[in-house]
Amino acid sequence: ALIKEATLDLICYAAKQGISTELTTNGYLIDKYIAGSLVQSGLKTLVLSLDSLKPEVHDFLRGVEGIYARVMNAINYLSKLAKKNRLKIHVVTTIMGFNIDDILELTEWVESNDSIDHIGFQAIMQPFASSEDNSWYKKDKLSFLWPNDISKVDYVLDRLIKLKQKPDSKITNLIGQFKVFNQYFRNPDYFVKQTECNLGYNSITVNTQGDIYLCNYLEPIGNIQ
């Protein structure tokens, strides 16, 4: 979103209208100047994608060398400015086979880091850039993303539930979500939707070319231009 110059202007305008604003980013473009601009814009919550505290793991999963260092720099810049302006910093992490060993370390780091307000988790799904295939996780090209050691999944999810039960936990997921994640990783076929896509019932996606999607796997329904 920060590729577009008008993004900060839009956030600023929305904030002045009393609208609660949230921006999700991989953090790559957040330097000291952008960090200051984000804080001054009135943005309420900044969501940063972070999948591991190991630079090589995060960089590989994001497909950009050096992006881990840029995320950490972004957190450092923002932490010096965000508190007095009430900007909340939220980390979002995808649980998958490639980073399953890093999830608890990352969670405990967030819990002890005064610069970060929350952490939330998603379960790995088929990447948007791939052709729709309900058996995607079995294919050689993508199978490394799927956690095949279910005992390890059980352990990590059980630990996340225990951490969530602490009164001062920063984890935003409900305990019930972790239990559903457990079922999903055991039997992903059970969670295959009966319809092609139901995302459009509660949200839409507009890409950088202005194409409007009700579902990332379907053709666009139009263009905002």
Side-chain angles (χ1 to χ4, degrees), residues 27-47:
Y28 189 82
L29 296 178
I30 301 179
D31 55 16
K32 189 174 182 179
Y33 172 76
I34 294 295
S37 298
L38 284 168
V39 171
Q40 293 300 322
S41 71
L43 181 69
K44 182 176 181 181
T45 305
L46 182 72
V47 182

Side-chain angles (χ1 to χ4, degrees), residues 4-18:
K4 294 292 185 181
E5 295 181 1
T7 297
L8 289 172
D9 292 334
L10 180 60
I11 292 172
C12 186
Y13 176 80
K16 288 180 178 178
Q17 306 309 308

Side-chain angles (χ1 to χ4, degrees), residues 26-28 58-60 62-72:
N26 61 16
Y28 189 82
H58 183 72
D59 286 2
F60 175 78
R62 293 289 152 182
V64 180
E65 186 177 353
I67 195 170
Y68 173 84
R70 286 176 174 263
V71 172
M72 289 302 170

Side-chain angles (χ1 to χ4, degrees), residues 156-205:
V156 169
L157 292 176
D158 285 345
R159 286 290 300 140
L160 290 176
I161 288 174
K162 287 182 171 61
L163 289 170
K164 171 66 178 180
Q165 290 172 332
K166 292 183 177 181
D168 57 347
S169 174
K170 295 182 180 180
I171 298 173
T172 58
N173 300 73
L174 299 174
I175 290 176
Q177 285 182 298
F178 291 129
K179 293 180 179 179
V180 172
F181 286 174
N182 192 289
Q183 297 172 27
Y184 169 65
F185 285 126
R186 275 182 156 73
N187 184 16
D189 292 336
Y190 176 78
F191 290 84
V192 174
K193 296 187 290 291
Q194 299 303 310
T195 56
E196 281 191 275
C197 184
N198 58 12
L199 186 62
Y201 287 111
N202 54 33
S203 66
I204 62 172
T205 299

Side-chain angles (χ1 to χ4, degrees), residues 94-163:
T94 302
I95 300 173
M96 59 186 108
F98 202 78
N99 71 345
I100 190 72
D101 293 322
D102 307 333
I103 294 296
L104 295 179
E105 179 188 18
L106 175 59
T107 307
E108 290 166 358
W109 176 76
V110 169
E111 293 280 19
S112 62
N113 192 323
D114 292 336
S115 300
I116 302 173
D117 296 280
H118 303 292
I119 183 170
F121 297 92
Q122 303 169 336
I124 184 66
M125 295 176 61
Q126 181 183 355
F128 289 147
S130 58
S131 300
E132 186 175 10
D133 183 352
N134 292 335
S135 299
W136 67 270
Y137 58 94
K138 299 177 182 178
K139 304 300 172 64
D140 290 341
K141 187 177 181 180
L142 296 173
S143 60
F144 73 95
L145 293 172
W146 191 256
N148 292 310
D149 187 345
I150 197 64
S151 63
K152 188 175 292 185
V153 172
D154 288 343
Y155 175 76
V156 169
L157 292 176
D158 285 345
R159 286 290 300 140
L160 290 176
I161 288 174
K162 287 182 171 61
L163 289 170

